[in-house]
Amino acid sequence: MKMILTIFSIFIFFSAMVEAAELKVLCVGNSFASSVIKDLRAIARAEGCNLKIFAFTCLPGASMEEHLKNAKQEEANPELRCYQLTPAKKAKMREILTMEKWDIITIQQFSRISYMPETYFPWAEELSAYIRRYAPQAEIIFQQTWRYREDHGIYKNGKLSPLTMYERLTDAYREAATKLSLRVIPAGAAIELALAKQAGVFRPLSKEQSLSPAGTPVPEPYALHEGWIWKKTNSSMNARFDGMHLNERGKYLQACVWYGFLFKKDPETIRWKPSEMDLQDAIFLKMCAKEALQNGLDTVIKR
């Protein structure tokens, strides 16, 4: 009996060790990857998951071509360091790739050209090869990015619409992932699904409607992207439009997708939500995350 109890205790001990094993994730991308980190860390902490995730290799507006160019220039120039490790210290990509035994390294395309399949190769393949050279133990994974909101200037010339941008970027990620045999975090599919399934239709507000004199943006019902915001420059407040990045709802949805993908868990079981978020809205967003994870890039969007 004592032997059975001892064996059982050892089993429990090692099971706990496996459960508590630290998952180390590095994002090689841009602001569309770094936007997930705050909420994802909060979710993982609340769910008892041991997550270490960093965006040291994220640069604003960086494409895969730019990251590869940086890596090659750093190899050629011993003094060059393109990435900010701390506010006071820069590092080469290879130094960041070897500073931890990363389990997962994510890559993605710059959102403005994400719908152009010709911008993925050969850079995605060469960047993946460079990452494997210094972090052979890591699984490289694509994050599918998302389309811009309806009133973004990218649609003004009529050659692109929100629907065609989403469809084309999804096809581009699918083609690249298939060619490189990489898995995909379907963040873009979850965003599109939520926009299509939510109770009301998102209707962008004008600049005048969005900005109050007090400097507080007026909430836009059903929005998942940012919009018109006040941004402080030196001592003055200036209006700025951001139709690319996710707002707080969008970031929470993105984090739910990443959590479910990374830990192979049902997003609907997530207990944490931002304190200001309505409970029913959080439930809805978690449901969208689950559906996107179940169907991936083949998620059906009913409009």
Side-chain angles (χ1 to χ4, degrees), residues 257-291:
V257 174
W258 277 60
Y259 168 79
F261 186 96
L262 294 176
F263 294 102
K264 299 180 176 63
K265 294 191 176 183
D266 183 350
E268 289 190 309
T269 65
I270 293 171
R271 290 166 290 184
W272 183 87
K273 69 172 185 64
S275 58
E276 68 278 5
M277 181 174 285
D278 176 76
L279 176 60
Q280 292 306 311
D281 195 29
I283 291 172
F284 167 74
L285 294 173
K286 290 185 288 186
M287 178 193 70
C288 291
K290 179 177 181 176
E291 185 172 340

Side-chain angles (χ1 to χ4, degrees), residues 25 47 71 100-101 109 153 167 216 229 264 288:
V25 181
E47 297 301 319
E100 294 276 2
K101 287 287 185 182
Q109 186 53 295
E167 290 177 341
T216 303
I229 57 175
K264 299 180 176 63
C288 291

Side-chain angles (χ1 to χ4, degrees), residues 54-91:
F54 292 102
F56 297 133
T57 40
C58 284
L59 298 173
S63 65
M64 290 183 284
E65 181 180 7
E66 181 178 340
H67 282 299
L68 182 64
K69 180 181 177 182
N70 288 345
K72 289 180 176 180
Q73 290 179 339
E74 287 176 338
E75 293 289 346
N77 183 351
E79 304 302 318
L80 181 63
R81 285 166 173 77
C82 297
Y83 300 93
Q84 204 74 42
L85 193 59
T86 69
K89 184 179 179 181
K90 284 196 165 188

Side-chain angles (χ1 to χ4, degrees), residues 88-202:
K89 184 179 179 181
K90 284 196 165 188
K92 294 178 180 290
M93 182 184 287
R94 73 163 186 254
E95 293 171 338
I96 297 172
L97 291 173
T98 57
M99 67 182 285
E100 294 276 2
K101 287 287 185 182
W102 303 107
D103 298 298
I104 289 173
I105 297 176
T106 66
I107 61 174
Q108 63 195 53
Q109 186 53 295
F110 172 39
S111 60
R112 188 172 283 274
I113 57 174
S114 61
Y115 63 93
M116 303 177 185
E118 66 273 16
T119 67
Y120 284 67
F121 290 94
W123 303 283
E125 190 169 19
E126 292 183 22
L127 180 60
S128 297
Y130 184 85
I131 291 170
R132 288 195 177 98
R133 176 180 169 188
Y134 291 104
Q137 78 289 340
E139 180 186 4
I140 301 172
I141 293 173
F142 270 124
Q143 178 194 209
Q144 175 208 19
T145 51
W146 47 89
R147 53 91 165 174
Y148 295 171
R149 64 181 248 165
E150 287 80 350
D151 51 346
H152 192 280
I154 199 170
Y155 307 123
K156 278 187 176 179
N157 62 13
K159 295 181 180 180
L160 196 67
S161 69
L163 173 59
T164 55
M165 183 176 184
Y166 172 72
E167 290 177 341
R168 291 179 191 176
L169 73 86
T170 300
D171 288 342
Y173 276 107
R174 182 186 290 108
E175 180 183 347
T178 299
K179 186 171 182 178
L180 298 177
S181 299
L182 302 184
R183 295 194 295 153
V184 183
I185 302 173
I191 297 297
E192 201 66 21
L193 186 65
L195 287 168
K197 294 189 75 167
Q198 56 192 357
V201 177
F202 167 63

Side-chain angles (χ1 to χ4, degrees), residues 202-252:
F202 167 63
R203 302 189 187 284
L205 298 179
S206 67
K207 178 180 178 180
E208 293 70 28
Q209 293 171 319
S210 297
L211 300 172
S212 68
T216 303
V218 176
E220 290 184 289
Y222 306 113
L224 285 167
H225 299 78
E226 293 279 14
W228 283 101
I229 57 175
W230 287 109
K231 189 172 180 64
K232 190 170 184 178
T233 306
N234 297 324
S235 58
S236 62
M237 297 292 288
N238 296 295
R240 182 173 70 88
F241 179 74
D242 181 356
M244 303 180 296
H245 297 95
L246 300 176
N247 63 12
E248 294 309 309
R249 290 184 75 224
K251 290 176 184 176
Y252 180 68

